[in-house]
Amino acid sequence: MQPTATVLVYSDDAGTREQVRLATGRRPAPDLPQVEFVECATLPAVLSALEAGGIDVCVLDGEAVPAGGMGVSRQIKDEIFRCPPVLLLIGRPQDAWLATWSRADAAVTHPIDPVEFAEALAGLLRTRLAIEA
């Protein structure tokens, strides 16, 4: 098992980024490595972090402004070679079809349910770490 997993968290709202950190805890599941966060509040910061490499999963806020997480997800899936899996935070369950359009690998709703979020993040991390192994 690698020593840490890196999760990029994109939201213009510092409170949302904090909710993601709190829901994840030190690790989203006992069988996974500890998580380190790369926090981004703007699209250029997301693109720079992804270009630098080392990101295992992206958590994108679908309600972020001016660049919403759904559009960011679709853009990075098109532009980033071997794009990490994307967990999209959506405003309501009815937005799940937009998450599919955005090519997100998973979606959870606001407000963040820590159990649901940790399970979704753990699943994406397991998939990503298995591919890299």
Side-chain angles (χ1 to χ4, degrees):
M1 178 179 350
Q2 71 184 49
T4 60
T6 304
V7 175
L8 180 144
V9 182
Y10 165 66
S11 179
D12 65 313
D13 182 350
T16 299
R17 295 192 307 267
E18 180 181 24
Q19 286 178 22
V20 168
R21 287 192 319 270
L22 292 173
T24 305
R26 294 175 66 158
R27 63 183 69 204
D31 62 317
L32 292 171
Q34 288 192 9
V35 171
E36 292 181 354
F37 296 97
V38 173
E39 294 188 34
C40 300
T42 65
L43 176 58
V46 170
L47 297 176
S48 292
L50 289 171
E51 288 295 330
I55 304 296
D56 294 304
V57 173
C58 297
V59 177
L60 308 178
D61 181 3
E63 305 297 312
V65 291
M70 293 180 204
V72 172
S73 176
R74 190 164 175 99
Q75 179 178 348
I76 65 175
K77 290 289 187 171
D78 285 342
E79 296 178 1
I80 304 296
F81 181 65
R82 294 188 183 151
C83 183
V86 172
L87 175 54
L88 190 62
L89 304 176
I90 56 177
R92 55 198 184 121
Q94 295 88 340
D95 293 335
W97 73 273
L98 287 168
T100 300
W101 169 85
S102 73
R103 301 187 190 140
D105 299 280
V108 296
T109 57
H110 278 290
I112 295 172
D113 175 318
V115 173
E116 177 188 19
F117 179 85
E119 287 175 357
L121 180 60
L124 295 178
L125 279 170
R126 284 184 191 108
T127 301
R128 178 66 173 203
L129 297 177
I131 290 170
E132 291 177 354

